[in-house]
Amino acid sequence: MTIQWFPGHMAKAKRQVQEKMKQIDLVFEIVDARIPQASRNPLVDEMTAGKPRLLLLNKADLADAEVTEMWQDAFLEQGIAGTLPVNAQTGAGTEKIVIAAEQVMAEKHEKLRAKGVRPRAVRALILGIPNVGKSTLINRLAGKKIAKIGDRPGITRQQQWVKVQGKLELLDTPGILWPKFEDEETGIKLAVTGAIRDERFVSQDAALALLRYLKVHYAEQLKSRYGIGDVPEDDIALFDEIGRRRGCIVRGGEVDYEKTGAVVIRDFQTGKIGRISLERP
Ligand code: G4P
């Protein structure tokens, strides 16, 4: 889905998130484990208004497990109360969410109990940028399919609470944040992972940036996916080799760069090159 974020949309999205914030005790902030930094919204701290937060690194199945662990440590150091790598699609890791949520809320509940107040069921909200897996996770936690609202700020439907493992109450509509548009590198990361579809980051440029990164950090995976002996130093030579190996050839025997770029990006997005993290803390 292509989303155009104009200042008016951003202001509206922010207002909607702040509206939801009033109804909840706890935020599940969901990021893409492959790009935990680029898939966060810069204003999320301000928007969550000091509510306790659990950071979920979703699509962990596609990310480098070692790097994901490094991110978990880094986020804890930044003061995030808890982090969990999850796969909303298969449910791996999601069974720990309720326990983690209880841990994050423990101190607050303790204080309430000390005052003689029995804490009510924790009310939570899932918050994140488009395509990060919010709906998949809500369905997973709810144990049923909940109608998805468009990722368009402004379109609303009646929201409801769904019980999670009989303990947590989850708002069935997520909080939608806009992605960062800070610099070209962030834009490329968001385009490569499928978070945004933006013509400014056409597949060739995005694929080239991806290949440059893979060459440095995941050369073995690259070689094995495309059956390359040695990764060529030259970027175009690498592009050429992949294009030829994957049969992306136009009439006259030239490599079709557009198609090659699209193949590389699709391979990355579907995990065919391997488990890859595009950012390190
Ligand atoms: P959103 O509500 O935040 O916008 O995201 P949504 O749940 O629609 O998920 C976006 C895409 O990411 C979906 O794929 C979804 O299946 C996929 N996805 C969600 N969580 C995970 C995960 O943990 N691992 C992997 N590998 N993929 C995940 P899609 O191709 O857009 O749609 P679909 O045909 O798979 O439903």
Side-chain angles (χ1 to χ4, degrees):
M1 192 179 316
T2 311
I3 311 140
Q4 298 262 318
W5 292 97
F6 300 112
H9 283 147
M10 294 194 190
K12 197 159 189 176
K14 187 173 173 187
R15 214 165 46 236
Q16 285 177 346
V17 166
Q18 282 166 338
E19 207 47 54
K20 287 177 195 285
M21 214 50 66
K22 291 182 195 155
Q23 310 169 53
I24 54 120
D25 311 301
L26 172 69
V27 175
F28 293 132
E29 184 190 350
I30 171 166
V31 296
D32 186 321
R34 297 167 296 176
I35 47 166
Q37 203 63 53
S39 59
R40 288 189 90 193
N41 178 288
L43 294 181
V44 68
D45 291 335
E46 184 193 316
M47 280 190 288
T48 50
K51 297 270 161 135
R53 220 181 320 163
L54 188 64
L55 195 99
L56 304 174
L57 294 132
N58 191 41
K59 309 197 185 185
D61 54 308
L62 298 172
D64 185 332
E66 224 172 277
V67 178
T68 300
E69 263 181 47
M70 285 158 58
W71 275 112
Q72 287 186 269
D73 292 343
F75 283 126
L76 287 179
E77 267 169 36
Q78 281 177 29
I80 302 270
T83 67
L84 264 185
V86 294
N87 175 347
Q89 231 174 26
T90 63
T94 60
E95 72 287 349
K96 297 194 185 120
I97 289 178
V98 169
I99 298 166
E102 284 176 333
Q103 281 168 353
V104 169
M105 294 303 294
E107 198 180 321
K108 198 167 175 199
H109 284 177
E110 214 40 66
K111 279 189 189 148
L112 285 174
R113 281 194 201 94
K115 284 193 221 157
V117 182
R118 197 164 145 247
R120 59 169 167 77
V122 173
R123 297 195 148 182
L125 168 76
I126 289 183
L127 188 65
I129 66 168
N131 280 318
V132 74
K134 298 180 298 298
S135 311
T136 312
L137 185 64
I138 291 174
N139 289 339
R140 169 67 50 189
L141 291 176
K144 59 181 175 198
K145 198 157 172 75
I146 285 163
K148 182 171 175 166
I149 47 161
D151 279 330
R152 284 162 196 272
I155 297 177
T156 49
R157 67 164 162 80
Q158 196 66 38
Q159 55 186 21
Q160 286 170 0
W161 297 98
V162 287
K163 270 242 164 47
V164 181
Q165 292 171 25
K167 291 192 173 166
L168 202 72
E169 287 178 11
L170 180 69
L171 209 53
D172 71 348
T173 53
I176 301 168
L177 299 174
W178 58 95
K180 286 182 201 178
F181 299 103
E182 280 174 350
D183 49 52
E184 182 164 327
E185 197 184 321
T186 306
I188 295 259
K189 285 175 187 167
L190 291 165
V192 162
T193 51
I196 55 166
R197 270 155 234 173
D198 193 318
E199 304 84 59
R200 279 175 301 170
F201 311 106
V202 287
S203 63
Q204 281 180 63
D205 288 341
L208 198 58
L210 174 63
L211 284 173
R212 281 191 185 129
Y213 180 85
L214 295 178
K215 243 167 49 171
V216 177
H217 296 282
Y218 297 95
E220 288 313 312
Q221 286 89 331
L222 201 55
K223 286 197 264 185
S224 120
R225 172 68 191 161
Y226 298 109
I228 303 170
D230 279 313
V231 177
E233 191 70 25
D234 180 56
D235 294 328
I236 300 303
L238 175 59
F239 228 56
D240 269 335
E241 189 151 349
I242 293 174
R244 286 189 200 290
R245 297 225 164 235
R246 298 304 307 264
C248 305
I249 305 291
V250 284
R251 218 174 287 187
E254 289 286 308
V255 166
D256 183 338
Y257 291 111
E258 182 90 42
K259 207 166 162 192
T260 308
V263 162
V264 170
I265 292 194
R266 196 175 53 239
D267 283 353
F268 167 77
Q269 287 183 352
T270 50
K272 293 211 172 81
I273 304 176
R275 294 181 60 175
I276 287 156
S277 296
L278 296 180
E279 289 180 328
R280 280 145 206 267

